[in-house]
């Protein structure tokens, strides 16, 4: 199982696009556990800071930060997931 | 690459470009939109748009732009995600070069929008997402009890100082060589905030650290180096009109494309619309200019016979 986490903020203008793309890609894989982490919550910011996340949107795969900022391409995300499967 | 000649090529797929495409395609003009980044432009970043007519409850920037894309495509506009790198004028035919090849058109509408100015100092790119940020509201919570600098002198920079003071332990406010661009109301509050220290008459020369940002160096008569955990670069937006150099399209001192009342540039058959003209700077004004440029472009195409 590959764990994909998307760190987002409800006030970040880039995040809706990132959330839409990451969730759509993650849905295609039955062995991907996808979690959205809202960094405007205490739990979310603690999780982000424990991983040294410093910007949103950030995509982490299996606890490792892999994509930071927007835009990123669907093929980059697919490649990350498939190399982790 | 194609040898077909388009009636109209639109450079930029934001509100101005997509509206222009809707108008020209709907009038059966062979229309191509070239957009190097995500189609929709800066408006995609708008979390919520409450001032675009026709949506009484508002609409997200993303949904609004997806609607505009669908509407233009419904009438036959072709959209290609290719970055335009040049524009050449051969009188009745314009040639638009992309990284993939070239396209020809009888008229061109430039709707390249604006982009945020970067600081362009060593370390800026290296530390993006590792202490360098461009949005205080978005990334501020990660800097709780930390020391940050906010570089910029516009309203957004001032706003972000106030936002970050809720989380950060210490803020260096670095407006650059001059004081803030206007006497914003927030400045009164910020001046009294003990967390905020103004660094005046200095520019950031370098951003450095190890895995994450640890310091900035400065020019000017004040401190030469500041130890910190984050740098928020909140500079003004500038027109994205770099492709126009070889074509000879006139811009003003600020890089804004100069157009006449028909949205035509100094080159016949080349029009411009939206934020790249530095007018309006709203989604609705960009759309209006896109429609106007499209009408003028179609008139130009008709004049060619």
């Amino acid at each position: 199982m590959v764990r994909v986490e998307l760190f987002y903020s409800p006030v970040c203008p880039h995040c809706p696009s990132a959330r839409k793309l990451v969730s759509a890609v993650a849905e295609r894989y039955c062995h991907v556990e996808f979690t959205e982490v809202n960094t405007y919550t205490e739990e979310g910011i603690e999780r982000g800071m424990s991983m040294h996340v410093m910007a949103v949107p950030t995509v982490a795969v299996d606890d490792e930060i892999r994509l930071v900022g927007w835009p990123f391409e669907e093929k980059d995300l697919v490649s990350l997931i498939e190399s982790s499967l | 690459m194609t040898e077909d000649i388009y009636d109209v090529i639109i450079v930029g797929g934001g509100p101005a470009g997509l509206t222009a495409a809707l108008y020209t395609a709907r009038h059966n003009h062979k229309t191509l939109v070239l957009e190097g980044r995500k189609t929709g432009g800066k408006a995609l970043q708008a979390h919520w748009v409450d001032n675009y007519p026709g949506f009484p409850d508002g609409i997200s920037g993303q949904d609004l732009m997806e609607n505009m894309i669908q509407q233009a495509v419904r009438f036959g506009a072709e959209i290609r995600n290719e970055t335009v790198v040049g524009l050449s004028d051969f009188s009745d035919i314009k040639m638009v070069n992309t990284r993939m090849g070239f396209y020809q058109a009888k008229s061109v509408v430039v709707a390249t929008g604006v982009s945020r100015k970067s600081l362009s100092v060593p370390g800026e790119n290296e530390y993006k997402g590792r202490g360098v940020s461009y949005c205080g509201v978005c990334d501020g919570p990660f800097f709780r009890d930390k020391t940050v600098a906010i570089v910029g002198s516009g309203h957004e920079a001032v706003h972000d100082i106030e936002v970050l003071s809720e989380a950060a332990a210490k803020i260096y406010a670095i407006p650059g060589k001059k004081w803030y661009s206007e006497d914003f109301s927030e400045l009164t509050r910020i001046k009294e905030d003990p967390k905020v220290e103004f660094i005046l008459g200095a520019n950031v020369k370098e951003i450095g650290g190890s895995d994450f940002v640890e310091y900035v160096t400065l020019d000017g008569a004040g401190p030469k180096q500041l130890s910190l955990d984050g740098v928020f670069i909140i500079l003004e937006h500038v027109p994205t009109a770099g492709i126009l150099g070889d074509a000879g399209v006139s811009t003003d001192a600020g890089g804004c494309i100069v157009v006449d009342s028909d949205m035509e540039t100094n080159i016949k058959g080349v029009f411009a619309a939206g934020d790249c003209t530095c007018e309006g700077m709203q989604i609705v004004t960009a759309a209006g200019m896109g429609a106007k440029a499209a009408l003028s472009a179609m008139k130009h195409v008709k004049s060619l016979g």
Side-chain angles (χ1 to χ4, degrees):
Chain A
M1 186 65 76
V2 176
R3 285 190 296 118
V4 174
E5 285 172 282
L6 172 69
F7 293 86
Y8 77 97
S9 157
V11 296
C12 148
H14 304 272
C15 290
S17 302
R19 291 177 74 184
K20 194 170 181 177
L21 176 62
V22 178
S23 61
V25 170
E27 271 178 17
R28 295 181 210 155
Y29 297 90
C30 56
H31 294 295
V32 167
E33 181 187 312
F34 174 52
T35 312
E36 291 186 315
V37 182
N38 181 350
T39 59
Y40 258 51
T41 65
E42 193 56 34
E43 300 78 24
I45 199 67
E46 280 179 12
R47 173 66 180 154
M49 290 179 81
S50 73
M51 291 179 62
H52 299 293
V53 172
M54 299 179 94
V56 286
T58 283
V59 176
V61 179
D62 288 338
D63 299 330
E64 192 177 336
I65 294 172
R66 303 305 296 267
L67 296 170
V68 180
W70 177 262
F72 48 78
E73 298 292 326
E74 180 177 335
K75 62 178 167 40
D76 297 331
L77 192 58
V78 167
S79 167
L80 279 176
I81 291 173
E82 295 197 347
S83 64
S84 302
L85 282 169
Chain B
M1 186 168 67
T2 176
E3 292 183 2
D4 290 345
I5 296 176
Y6 289 88
D7 291 314
V8 186
I9 287 180
I10 296 156
V11 185
L18 291 170
T19 305
L22 164 64
Y23 270 66
T24 57
R26 187 166 175 267
H27 283 83
N28 296 316
H29 282 60
K30 189 172 171 59
T31 300
L32 172 64
V33 178
L34 294 169
E35 170 58 64
R37 293 171 70 88
K38 195 169 173 63
T39 307
K42 192 162 67 70
L44 285 172
Q45 301 169 11
H47 178 62
W48 199 251
V49 180
D50 267 329
N51 58 358
Y52 195 87
F55 298 93
D57 299 320
I59 184 170
S60 73
Q62 188 169 4
D63 286 345
L64 178 60
M65 297 321 299
E66 282 182 3
N67 288 349
M68 285 195 196
I69 292 167
Q70 286 175 23
Q71 200 171 0
V73 168
R74 178 161 72 92
F75 288 105
E78 185 182 344
I79 299 175
R80 293 188 181 213
N81 286 116
E82 294 184 31
T83 301
V84 172
V85 294
L87 167 65
S88 306
D89 178 31
F90 297 102
S91 190
D92 289 352
I93 295 295
K94 321 295 177 194
M95 187 177 290
V96 179
N97 292 82
T98 73
R99 294 189 195 282
M100 313 283 283
F102 66 89
Y103 299 93
Q104 298 176 84
K106 295 174 184 172
S107 67
V108 171
V109 176
V110 179
T112 44
V114 290
S115 51
R116 192 186 284 283
K117 206 171 167 182
S118 69
L119 200 52
S120 300
V121 298
E124 179 178 3
N125 284 329
E126 186 184 348
Y127 287 103
K128 270 182 191 168
R130 293 189 295 136
V132 169
S133 170
Y134 298 87
C135 180
V137 180
C138 312
D139 302 333
F142 296 115
F143 294 84
R144 182 192 294 167
D145 300 327
K146 295 190 174 178
T147 299
V148 300
I150 298 177
V151 183
S153 61
H155 195 186
E156 286 180 65
V158 173
H159 175 70
D160 279 3
I161 293 171
E162 194 165 43
V163 168
L164 275 156
S165 75
E166 292 174 14
K170 166 89 181 172
I171 296 172
Y172 293 110
I174 308 176
K177 293 290 184 187
K178 295 179 181 173
W179 183 241
Y180 289 89
S181 56
E182 290 174 46
D183 194 14
F184 304 113
S185 58
E186 295 97 327
L187 273 173
T188 308
R189 293 192 292 273
I190 291 166
K191 282 180 197 169
E192 292 169 0
D193 187 336
K195 289 182 179 178
V196 179
E197 179 178 342
F198 291 93
I199 306 292
L200 303 179
N203 287 321
V204 172
K205 284 169 54 185
E206 183 193 359
I207 300 167
S210 52
D211 288 343
F212 302 98
V213 167
E214 291 175 357
Y215 65 87
V216 295
T217 61
L218 303 167
D219 63 9
K224 298 298 176 199
Q225 183 166 316
L226 302 171
S227 296
L228 40 69
D229 307 291
V231 182
F232 287 78
I233 299 170
I234 316 291
L235 302 178
E236 71 270 32
H237 289 94
V238 291
T240 312
I243 63 153
L244 303 170
D246 292 340
V249 174
S250 289
T251 57
D252 67 14
C256 311
I257 300 175
V258 178
V259 292
D260 64 15
S261 58
D262 292 323
M263 312 308 294
E264 192 165 27
T265 69
N266 60 310
I267 296 179
K268 199 166 176 56
V270 177
F271 304 83
D275 289 359
C276 63
T277 67
C278 301
E279 294 291 334
M281 311 302 274
Q282 301 288 311
I283 298 174
V284 68
T285 54
M289 281 190 273
K292 196 171 179 183
L295 294 170
S296 299
M298 289 189 285
K299 194 173 169 185
H300 173 78
V301 170
K302 191 176 180 184
S303 74
L304 297 176

